Amino acid sequence: MFELRSNQPASRWQMPAETAPHDATWMAWPGSGYTLGESAAEAEIARATWAAVANAIVAREPLRMLVPPHERPHARRLLDPAIELHEVRLDDAWYRDIGPTFVVGADQHGGPALGAVNWVFNGWGQQDWATWEHDAVASLVATSASCAHRIDSPMVNEGGGIHTDGAGTFLVTETVQLDPGRNAGWTRQAVEDELARTVGARKVIWLPRGLTRDSEKFGTRGHVDIVATFADRGVVLLHEQRNDAHPDAAVSRELATVFHGEHDAEGKPIEVVALPAPTQLRDAVGWVDWSYVNHYVCNGAVIACAFDDPADAEAREVLAAAYPGRDVVQIDARPIFDRGGGIHCITQQQPAL
């Protein structure tokens, strides 16, 4: 069994809430394989959707995009000129997962410092359809370009596998952090100790699993960022599938019970706010995992998923109430979900110091 126990003092690093001010957002451009699709038309849909997300964000904060060299002309054609491009070979465009997790702390002189946690990435648990030869390098490129202090971790993890309130409370799922394909032999305590060291976790709330489709062959095995997130300290937005015909209805109820009576790191009771699932239940592949939880909070706005679904309007209202003072910008996320993720999965915040 892997036990990473220690009596070391509290971490010098803390992962801020996504709602805290950002210096920039990082993304990665789709450049090959399933993220582009099997035809020129599918590739153009992917590029246009990634660009729509990036252009909405750069209107509010700087955006830095990793771009495979052969895709630079397409990226420059579709992206706002204000977006900064960094050429690098990539296997995937899920920057939340292949890039570092940014944290803040103090340098040796007591001044503010930016850190970047370099998790081990192994293709979402060594899945046979995934490649990740170049993705590990992508994390280091962003670390260097942001002038962040590199924090290496022995834990296999992805940014989509954690959510925080910015005050030491974290959401994770057993099926990701304790996945034998990721961290064989690790215990809950080992994971919690490593999260304490790297991102300043003081309280970890363990969810048993994620959504049904995300647990199937081409999923992440249960990322938390598609099912639950913190809108504020003590406030969790939770995916609510209201139709019992969808297996995620049972998942939603199970997860809701986990939060019942739960508290954050400060002892504040957790309030759960339901974020409805889209009414569409299936696509050509099977049960959809479309989720409004998979949104991105940037400076002054929420970049939210839309699905051309009757629930889009209600989700917009819930998000507007959850993030007062921010614009809610909805973008059709179906092309991203068709490729295995959502808007949150393709973005990563660099917090302001």
Side-chain angles (χ1 to χ4, degrees), residues 121-208:
F121 178 71
N122 71 353
W124 302 279
Q126 306 175 69
Q127 303 218 44
D128 57 12
W129 49 265
T131 59
W132 57 92
E133 175 186 358
H134 304 295
D135 289 339
V137 177
S139 178
L140 302 183
V141 169
T143 302
S144 175
S146 64
C147 299
H149 176 86
R150 176 175 159 184
I151 306 162
D152 287 325
S153 174
M155 187 165 74
V156 180
N157 191 39
E158 302 94 37
I162 58 176
H163 255 315
T164 184
D165 64 352
T169 311
F170 280 78
L171 304 177
V172 302
T173 58
E174 294 180 8
T175 53
V176 170
Q177 278 74 24
L178 300 182
D179 175 13
R182 286 176 168 97
N183 298 304
W186 284 54
T187 63
R188 279 193 179 194
Q189 188 63 59
V191 171
E192 291 181 13
D193 286 348
E194 182 62 359
L195 290 175
R197 183 184 76 86
T198 53
V199 292
R202 295 188 295 130
K203 169 70 179 287
V204 178
I205 298 174
W206 289 86
L207 304 182

Side-chain angles (χ1 to χ4, degrees), residues 205-278:
I205 298 174
W206 289 86
L207 304 182
R209 56 165 297 166
L211 298 184
T212 299
R213 180 146 161 185
D214 194 37
S215 303
E216 295 173 351
K217 179 175 175 61
F218 294 105
T220 69
R221 297 179 180 160
H223 270 184
V224 75
D225 72 348
I226 200 171
V227 70
T229 185
F230 284 106
D232 200 352
R233 295 185 185 182
V235 180
V236 167
L237 298 179
L238 182 64
H239 181 81
E240 182 182 59
Q241 175 53 255
R242 297 168 177 171
N243 192 327
D244 283 332
H246 195 301
D248 283 340
V251 174
S252 295
R253 289 192 292 270
E254 180 183 12
L255 299 184
T257 64
V258 174
F259 289 109
H260 181 70
E262 187 60 86
H263 295 73
D264 66 14
E266 301 291 333
K268 183 177 182 178
I270 298 292
E271 175 191 355
V272 173
V273 176
L275 199 49

Side-chain angles (χ1 to χ4, degrees), residues 15-41:
M15 182 179 175
E18 197 171 303
T19 51
H22 300 175
D23 271 346
T25 293
W26 286 84
M27 293 179 63
W29 188 257
S32 63
Y34 66 92
T35 51
L36 278 184
E38 299 179 355
S39 68

Side-chain angles (χ1 to χ4, degrees), residues 50 58 67 226 241 262 273 297 306-307 315 339:
W50 258 254
V58 81
V67 181
I226 200 171
Q241 175 53 255
E262 187 60 86
V273 176
V297 183
F307 302 98
R339 290 157 174 81

